[in-house]
Amino acid sequence: MFMNFRRIHKYQFVQLLATALVLSVLMVSWEELDHHVVSHVKSYTYRYMINSYDFLNSSFTITANHPHGTGRFRNVGGALVNYPYLINHPKKCEARDGKNWDDIFLLLFVKSSPESFERRQAIRETWGNESFVWSKLGVRVSLLFPIGVHSDVRQRSEIQSRLLKEDKIYGDLIQRNFVDTFHNLTNKLILQFHWSQNYCPKAQFVMSADDDVFVHMPNLVKYLQHLLTSQSGTKDLWVGHVHRGSPPNRRKDSKYHVPYAMYPWPSYPDYTAGAGYVVSGDVAAKIYKATLVMNSSMYIDDVFMGICASAMGVYPQGHVYFSGEAKTPYHSCIYDHMITSHGHAADMRSLWQAATADRNPTGFMGNVYCTAVRMVLLCLPYFQNTYSCFAAFT
Ligand SMILES: *[C@@H]1O[C@H](CO)[C@@H](O)[C@H](O)[C@H]1NC(C)=O
Ligand SMILES: *[C@@H]1O[C@H](CO)[C@@H](O)[C@H](O)[C@H]1NC(C)=O
Ligand SMILES: *[C@@H]1O[C@H](CO)[C@@H](O)[C@H](O)[C@H]1NC(C)=O
Ligand SMILES: *[C@@H]1O[C@H](CO)[C@@H](O)[C@H](O)[C@H]1NC(C)=O
């Protein structure tokens, strides 16, 4: 009895201490916690309990007194603006060797900025190499870099003439006359879907990727071809790294600050990270239609895409090897499965070589070994953002 009593006291003391510790940590980091925890809880409640996006109502459309579709329209503040093309290649999707444009397998947009000459070059020589994909993988890919005009007025004309030279060699830039800034990313998104609808409507798939993303093209093509032959087919496809029930950021000092006037609800529709995602041709057409009527003042392009998609009844599906912020661990056991990886620049070429090198058939023991390696690389907590642990077991 006596022993028990003392033990309880000791236990309570430890409990009290622990509580105090937790409370003080909470208080010190309250601001952060408040923001993240509260807004996520609110967002998830809204997303999963209250309704599933009936809240994205007609207040997001701009049809009312903004007629468009005829002539040139300039209307800032969310309505569609028809920025004229400065560089364009309307026939890019038409074939060079007699075939017609029915056979574009993948229309590939790599979101770039005017000054990112190096990045574009690295992509052309690696995963964006159209002739590699055609000769080695047997499908036709069409690569384009959507850009705006350089944001610094003093450098603009010099950069623009470099762009024209670059485009004369490669013929893969599309540029509209808007300033290439973070807050104009939605205009870049609109550029992609308008281009695809106008000049390449029969592409089977459309991909949008950042220019610091590595795409394992052989794996991607294999995956998409598998979808084509599987029963589920390729209608309504939107695949990538999905953000589910994300709350808008209401902090005024944040880069991603979204005021209530722009988006009043506590939760965004599900959307895929803009780093790299793929849609089927029918979804691209639907997104195009939505961009004609949705208020595009939402400057976060991934979120705007989610708004357009959910207005059209399209919802994203996740894939463990499409990354958001994540960077692939450099290991051959990962290369067999990976699709996209974020945060590459100087290592684009070496990664491409390593990832596309021929490997010996692995066999049963090889598979066991690789699963073990992937578990170590993906499931142990490192201070590095990689694919989720689930990816180790696919
Ligand atoms: C749309 O939703 C907002 C916020 O929930 C609400 O204030 C507004 O009245 C709704 N508009 C329509 C047209 O239903
Ligand atoms: C693209 O790939 C082809 C075929 O593999 C190769 O001959 C060519 O040199 C590559 N192009 C570039 C720009 O690296
Ligand atoms: C977007 O581009 C337009 C056209 O160049 C420009 O007027 C506007 O200021 C830009 N917006 C932002 C937020 O940079
Ligand atoms: C779009 O939404 C913004 C709020 O973010 C509003 O100020 C603007 O008037 C809207 N534009 C149109 C054309 O409805």
Side-chain angles (χ1 to χ4, degrees), residues 46 55-57 59-60 247-248 250 260 262-268:
Y46 210 70
F55 59 87
L56 259 181
N57 59 20
S59 63
F60 236 95
R250 303 298 189 194
Y260 286 92
M262 186 181 286
Y263 193 88
W265 302 282
S267 172
Y268 289 139

Side-chain angles (χ1 to χ4, degrees), residues 80 186-195 291 296 304:
L80 189 66
T186 291
N187 278 319
K188 206 175 274 178
L189 180 98
I190 291 174
L191 161 57
Q192 295 165 62
F193 284 99
H194 284 216
W195 199 94
T291 62
S296 60
F304 181 69

Side-chain angles (χ1 to χ4, degrees), residues 85-87 114-115 117 147-150 152 155-167 173-178:
Y85 280 103
L86 299 178
I87 302 176
E115 69 282 6
F117 300 100
I147 52 176
V149 297
H150 196 258
D152 186 342
Q155 293 178 47
R156 190 172 290 166
S157 68
E158 190 216 319
I159 296 222
Q160 192 62 24
S161 66
R162 278 184 73 187
L163 284 173
L164 289 170
K165 265 187 218 141
E166 179 187 352
D167 187 62
L173 304 182
I174 48 174
Q175 184 188 41
R176 270 184 156 177
N177 194 9
F178 60 84

Side-chain angles (χ1 to χ4, degrees), residues 74 76 81 83 149 156 177-184 187 299:
R74 276 196 66 87
V76 196
V81 182
Y83 296 113
V149 297
R156 190 172 290 166
N177 194 9
F178 60 84
V179 184
D180 201 303
T181 57
F182 174 72
H183 284 92
N184 259 337
N187 278 319
Y299 62 88

